[in-house]
Amino acid sequence: MLKDADKMMTPNIDRAMGSGRRMLLVELYGTTTYVFDGTHEVAGPMIEVLGSLGFELVLPRNVAIPGDGLLPMAADAMHTAEPDHIFLMNFSKDEAFVRHVISELGSFSENRVYRMDSTVAEAFSEDWNANLLAPKVIEIMERASGGKYR
């Protein structure tokens, strides 16, 4: 668990949590979307941060994540996870496709899709950890709610 997670809570994040705690973590790389479990080296730290805020990871029904921790899956097939929130780790440069994926994901999450742009180099660096990700998560949730990042 992330130390001092309660200090990261803002009124906007608290309000978002009122919509539910079920969270789906999705990666977009090029034009492929992936779902994860906590064993994946990129997703694990992100899931740790989100869990510290009170989110609970959900996966689409009848999906088994292979040993490497990620599974390619079409965005429209992810609806069976029934998430309250979707966190999108975006590694794609195709802005039109990113908007398309966000629209698909939003269609089954009441548009609660939080986009975090990054690079593959950053995601596989030793800096990719809770200390880096916690402020990013807060920022994307604040931005999505129209609030200002503190």
Side-chain angles (χ1 to χ4, degrees), residues 19 83-86 104-114:
S19 300
D84 301 311
H85 308 270
I86 298 176
E104 279 189 326
L105 296 173
S107 72
F108 58 86
S109 65
E110 296 187 27
N111 290 315
R112 287 187 293 269
V113 179
Y114 308 101

Side-chain angles (χ1 to χ4, degrees), residues 39-101:
T39 64
H40 190 267
E41 64 187 302
V42 172
M46 186 73 167
I47 292 168
E48 176 189 350
V49 168
L50 294 167
S52 292
L53 290 171
F55 290 101
E56 299 166 0
L57 179 68
V58 295
L59 294 171
R61 265 193 301 266
N62 301 319
V63 166
I65 304 294
D68 60 358
L70 80 157
L71 179 71
M73 175 178 269
D76 63 353
M78 297 178 189
H79 71 278
T80 61
E82 299 178 355
D84 301 311
H85 308 270
I86 298 176
F87 289 85
L88 175 65
M89 296 188 304
N90 177 44
F91 299 101
S92 177
K93 302 278 189 224
D94 183 341
E95 192 58 36
F97 193 75
V98 173
R99 285 193 303 271
H100 170 75
V101 167

Side-chain angles (χ1 to χ4, degrees), residues 88-92 95 98 115-119 122 128 136 140 143:
L88 175 65
M89 296 188 304
N90 177 44
F91 299 101
S92 177
E95 192 58 36
V98 173
R115 172 183 175 173
M116 185 180 82
D117 295 327
S118 192
T119 65
E122 181 182 39
W128 188 263
K136 287 181 179 248
I140 62 175
R143 187 175 50 226

Side-chain angles (χ1 to χ4, degrees), residues 129-149:
N129 57 43
N131 292 329
L132 172 77
L133 294 171
K136 287 181 179 248
V137 168
I138 293 167
E139 181 178 9
I140 62 175
M141 291 189 74
E142 288 290 309
R143 187 175 50 226
S145 69
K148 295 197 185 273
Y149 179 61

